[in-house]
Structure formats: structure tokens, C-alpha cells
């Protein structure tokens, strides 16, 4: 028998998780915008808007220390960050375009080098996804193989019902454990009819065709046309659920400091600048081409996954109006 949870019990669940000393992160009104932030109570949860930034920050922070160093008695002492102190976390209220992104990033973060900072957070996190019943003309998750009701990446998936409650599906053992530990908040029953899901302007794209075109058109006037307006600000990468470029810097002095990981972006002019001064992507059209190639060819070549969830954030955030879905539609219709 399917299980349901009322909205009040969903908020009660957050209250209980906070009391259990879990880090609970979810959409929260912060000033005039909704962001993924730590929730201190169920009343903080906001479920009627897509957060401005993605939820990847829970697993892959904008900036984090990876070690500290200090010179003592003439010797340099290095201290690693104690990853065992990372908190048990629950991400709650993530739509499919956000809930699905860690499952995509897992591939690169556990590839030839295992990023234990990311992986430890993943191990200690449970994702409660929720189907989308709202959206705008920037949403295109269906076009890249997801959907407003896609359960991929969620441990527990909630489907909004017309009576205000949620149908629950425990997708993984983590989801089952979350329900079992708070069984009194869930009830058996078929529930009411689901709310209608979001319609999207962009139809499903032929990603195989797009990848083939990219393979055969590394040099194409399209890249220069886009680059004529791209300002290389990096907003698209920083706001994306799937972009994962980073840099590592030592901050402090020769005697005392920290080594930190910071987000970076392939759209920045110096991202590929060599110590010799040579830059293989020295102009913007090469940098934007790499962005599209990485998402729809290179990542697929390596891991069999598309590095895009169709959230539309890059479209909304771009200061000059570059629309990645429109670019993909253009490529999708090309015959040569």
C-alpha cells in the first residue's frame, strides 16, 4: 500500500530531524529570494519556488578547507580536515533537476581520484526529492532525459497531491530508513489525485544527434556567434547543479595558513592559462564551445551521462540572455 504524508507532518519531520542534530537543508526564503539553506524548523521550508542556486553546495561547497599548515620549531606541521565531523544531513524539498545532480557528479568525483570530501558528504546525506508542479519557460528537464516527476537521485520521493498531502516512495535504503525511523508521521493509503506536473516549452531533444553534431563540428561559426555576446562572467557555471570545476590555493603566509578548494569556471579567461603563458582556450568562443562540449559530449564519452539537468538556472542568470536550451534546439535541427 502506498504511503502518504501531510504537509504538516512533513514540517514536523523537519522539526524532529533538527532535534536529532541532523543538518537539514531545504528551500528557504532568504530576503527576497529562495535559497537552499539550513532549516531550523519545519516552518522555514518553502516549496512554491525553485531556489536561486542549486543544492550541489551541500555536497560541494563554494569554498572549503582541505588542510592547514603551521611552522613549529622549524618544522612544517600539516593537519588534515577531520571529515568524520561532517554532519549527517537531509536535503529536503529538492526538485528532480537538483535531486538528480549528485548522481551525475558521483561519476567524476569517484573516478581516477576519489574526492573524499564530496563522497563523505554524499555518504552522510539523504535526499528527499519532490515532483515539480510549477515552472517557467526556462525549465527544460524533459529535454535532457529527466522529468518533473523523475525519481533519479532521490532517496525518498514526494509527489504533491490535490488534497495538499504527498505520496511517498522510498527509492533507496536511505529513504526506507528515514520513513521507518519516523513511521508515525506517515500513513498508508492511495491518497488523492496528483497535482498536474509542469509543462515545458522545449520538447525532448535527440541527445545522440546533438552529440554527433558536436563531434563533427568542433570548428563552426555557431561558437563565434554565441561568443559575440558572452561576457565570461561564470554565472552559468556557478549556478548550475552539475558544473564542478574547482581550483586549489594556499592562503596565509609561509608559516601559517590553509589550503582551500574554490569553485572555478571554464568560462573564465584564465581557466586554462598555462604557466608558460600559452592559453589553448584564449578566446571566448573556445571557452563557450568547451562548456557545451563538456556537458553534451565529453562527460557522456567518459561516464555515459549528460552533464545537465535542465533546471534553466543558467538561462535565468545570464546577464546577456544566452539560452542553452535554444542553442541545443538549434543544434538539434541542423542537418550538417
Amino acid at each position: 500500500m502506498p504511503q502518504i504524508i501531510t504537509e504538516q507532518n512533513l514540517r514536523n519531520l523537519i522539526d524532529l530531524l533538527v532535534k536529532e542534530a541532523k543538518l537539514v537543508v531545504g528551500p528557504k526564503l532568504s530576503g527576497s529570494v529562495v535559497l537552499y539553506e539550513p532549516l531550523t524548523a519545519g516552518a522555514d521550508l518553502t516549496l512554491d519556488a525553485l531556489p536561486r542556486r542549486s543544492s550541489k553546495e551541500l555536497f560541494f561547497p563554494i569554498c572549503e578547507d582541505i588542510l592547514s599548515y603551521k611552522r613549529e620549531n622549524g618544522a612544517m606541521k600539516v593537519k588534515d580536515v577531520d571529515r568524520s565531523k561532517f554532519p549527517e544531513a537531509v536535503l529536503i524539498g529538492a526538485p528532480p533537476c537538483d535531486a538528480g545532480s549528485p548522481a551525475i557528479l558521483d561519476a567524476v568525483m569517484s573516478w581516477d581520484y576519489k574526492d573524499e570530501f564530496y563522497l563523505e558528504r554524499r555518504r552522510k546525506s539523504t535526499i528527499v526529492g519532490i515532483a515539480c508542479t510549477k515552472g517557467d519557460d526556462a525549465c527544460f528537464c524533459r529535454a535532457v532525459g529527466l522529468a518533473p516527476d523523475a525519481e533519479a537521485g532521490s532517496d525518498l520521493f514526494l509527489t504533491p497531491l490535490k488534497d495538499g498531502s504527498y505520496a511517498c516512495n522510498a527509492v533507496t535504503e536511505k529513504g526506507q530508513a528515514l520513513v521507518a525511523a519516523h513511521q508515525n508521521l506517515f500513513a498508508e493509503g492511495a491518497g488523492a489525485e496528483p497535482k498536474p506536473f509542469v509543462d515545458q516549452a522545449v520538447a525532448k531533444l535527440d541527445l545522440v544527434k546533438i552529440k554527433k553534431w558536436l563531434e563533427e563540428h568542433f570548428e563552426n561559426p555557431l561558437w563565434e556567434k554565441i561568443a559575440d555576446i558572452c561576457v565570461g562572467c561564470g554565472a552559468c557555471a556557478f549556478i548550475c547543479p552539475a558544473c564542478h570545476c574547482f581550483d586549489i590555493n594556499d592562503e596565509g603566509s609561509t608559516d601559517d595558513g590553509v589550503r582551500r578548494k574554490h569553485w572555478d569556471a571554464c568560462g573564465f579567461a584564465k581557466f586554462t592559462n598555462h604557466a608558460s603563458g600559452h592559453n589553448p582556450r584564449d578566446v571566448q568562443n573556445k571557452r563557450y564551445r568547451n562548456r557545451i562540449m563538456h556537458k553534451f559530449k565529453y562527460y557522456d564519452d567518459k561516464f555515459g551521462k549528460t552533464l545537465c539537468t535542465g533546471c534553466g538556472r543558467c538561462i535565468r542568470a545570464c546577464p546577456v540572455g544566452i539560452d542553452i536550451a535554444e542553442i541545443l534546439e538549434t543544434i538539434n535541427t541542423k542537418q550538417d
Side-chain angles (χ1 to χ4, degrees), residues 273-323:
N273 202 39
H274 295 185
S276 67
H278 172 63
N279 190 342
R281 295 202 288 269
D282 55 343
V283 290
Q284 201 61 34
N285 64 298
K286 295 179 182 179
R287 295 190 277 273
Y288 198 86
R289 176 181 63 196
N290 181 73
R291 176 174 174 75
I292 301 296
M293 287 282 194
H294 188 197
K295 288 185 172 295
F296 300 97
K297 180 187 181 318
Y298 302 151
Y299 205 82
D300 190 14
D301 286 343
K302 181 70 70 174
F303 304 115
K305 298 174 184 287
T306 298
L307 195 66
C308 175
T309 65
C311 70
R313 286 186 176 92
C314 59
I315 300 170
R316 301 181 195 98
C318 182
V320 294
I322 295 175
D323 186 328

Side-chain angles (χ1 to χ4, degrees), residues 221-236 267 283-288 314-315 317-324 326-327:
L222 174 65
W223 308 123
E224 291 186 12
K225 181 179 179 182
I226 297 167
D228 281 344
I229 59 173
C230 178
V231 295
C233 67
C236 53
V283 290
Q284 201 61 34
N285 64 298
K286 295 179 182 179
R287 295 190 277 273
Y288 198 86
C314 59
I315 300 170
C318 182
V320 294
I322 295 175
D323 186 328
I324 191 173
E326 184 179 282
I327 292 167

Side-chain angles (χ1 to χ4, degrees), residues 196-210:
F197 300 129
V198 179
D199 289 328
Q200 297 181 2
V202 181
K204 186 173 177 61
L205 297 169
D206 186 341
L207 297 178
V208 173
K209 179 182 177 182
I210 289 172

Side-chain angles (χ1 to χ4, degrees), residues 206-218 220 223 292-293 296-298 300-301 331-332 334-336:
D206 186 341
L207 297 178
V208 173
K209 179 182 177 182
I210 289 172
K211 181 183 174 185
K212 187 175 188 299
W213 188 90
L214 292 173
E215 289 172 343
E216 298 172 352
H217 294 83
F218 190 77
N220 190 275
W223 308 123
I292 301 296
M293 287 282 194
F296 300 97
K297 180 187 181 318
Y298 302 151
D300 190 14
D301 286 343
I331 293 173
N332 198 52
K334 287 184 175 294
Q335 301 299 317
D336 53 28

